[in-house]
Amino acid sequence: MTHPLAQRFDGATEILAEIDARIPDTRDHLAETRATVDAYHPKRLQLVVTEIIDETPTTKTLRMQGLDQAALPPFSAGQYVNVFVDGTSRPYAISSSPTQRGHYDLTVRRVPGGRISNLLIDTVVIGQILTTSGPMGTFHHNPLFHGNDVVFLAGGSGVAPAMSMLREIADLGLDRSLHLIYGSRHASDVIFRAELDALAAAHPGITVDHVIAEPDADWTGATGYLTADTIAALAGELNERMVYVCGPQALYPYALDQLTALGQPRKRIRFEANGAPSDPTAQPHWPIGVDPTEEVTVTVSGASFRTPRNRPLLDAMEDNGIRPEAACRSGECSLCRVRVVKGEVHTAEEAKMRLSDARFGYTHSCVAYPISDVELDL
Ligand code: FES
C-alpha cells in the first residue's frame, strides 16, 4: 500500500525507503521511542500555579509545577512555553533557571490592551491549572556559535530569558560572561532588580546595567534609551561579541540601527521572536493601495468568515473557533503552517519560510494576512 505521505511530498517515497533502510531499530521500538520523545518534548503540559510573585506594579511571575510534582522536561535558558488560554495561546519565556526542574517561572508584564497578559495577571490564582506546550524556541545560548562572552539588550519583560541565562551561570558557576543592558521607562519598572544586582555583585562574569528613560532625580545610573552611544559606553567595543536582543517589538528595528551604527555584523545579533508585526502595511512588500482595514472572506476547510486584511490569519481563525497548532506566533516555529489554495496572502518578513513552503504554497498563518478572499487548507 502506498504510504499517505508519498502523495504529499516530492521525494517522500525515496525518503521513506531511506528511513526503512537506515533505522529499522527505531521502527521496531516505536512505542519506546515515542515515549522518550514525549518525555523530553511533550506537546502539552498540565501545570499547576503554586506561587504568584509580584515583581513590579505591572508584572507578576507565575510559578508552575507539574501535577505530579515530578521533574519537568529540561529546557535551555532562553526558551519559552506556549500558554493556552481563552481560545488562543501566547508564548512566555521561562525566567527560572534550567537547573530548577521542579518548576517553571513565567514572568508576565501587563501590556496595555493586551488580552492575554491582562487575563493572566488579573485572573490566575494559586492552584489553577494551565495548559502549556513543552519548552521550545531557538533563542538560547549556544557556546559553540555564540562564544562565552555575550551582551544582552533587554527591554521590559524581555529580561525574562536573560534572567534564566544569568541564573544558570550562577547556579552552575559557568565560565561565561554575560553583560545585561536593561532598558526600562521608570526605575520602578525594573523587573528582578534586587536579584540582578546581587548576581552582578557575586559573579565576576555577570555585569548588569540599568538604563532608565524617565529617571527620578535620585537615579544615578545610565539614562535615556539603548542608543549606540549608551551601548558603547557600557559594553565597550563589541568586537563581534554575540548580542542578544529581547523586548517589545519597537526595540528590534531600533536596536538593529544602533548596533549597525557600532559596526556589529547582523550575523552576530540574535533577536527573540516577538509576535506578529504591529503594522504589516509598513513592510515594503505590502501591496500598494490596498486598504488594510477592509474585510475579505477567508474559507478554511469549508467554513467561511469575514476578517479585516490586517488581522493575522491565525488570529482570524481563532476568532472563528478554528485552532491550528501554534507556538511562537512570530513566524519562526512553522507549527501554524497553512496551504493557500486560492487567493492572495501577504506573508510578513518575520516568517522563517522554508523553500518547500513557497514551492508548495504554504505560509505561516501567525504572520500572514489575507489580501483578497482566500481559501486555506489546514
Ligand atoms: S506559530 Fe510559530 S510560525 Fe506561526
Side-chain angles (χ1 to χ4, degrees), residues 21 57 98 160 169 202:
I169 292 172

Side-chain angles (χ1 to χ4, degrees), residues 151 179 181 209 228-239 241 262:
V151 174
H179 188 153
I181 301 177
D209 282 301
D229 285 349
T230 299
I231 296 166
L234 298 174
E237 289 281 330
L238 291 175
N239 285 333
R241 274 180 283 171
L262 292 171

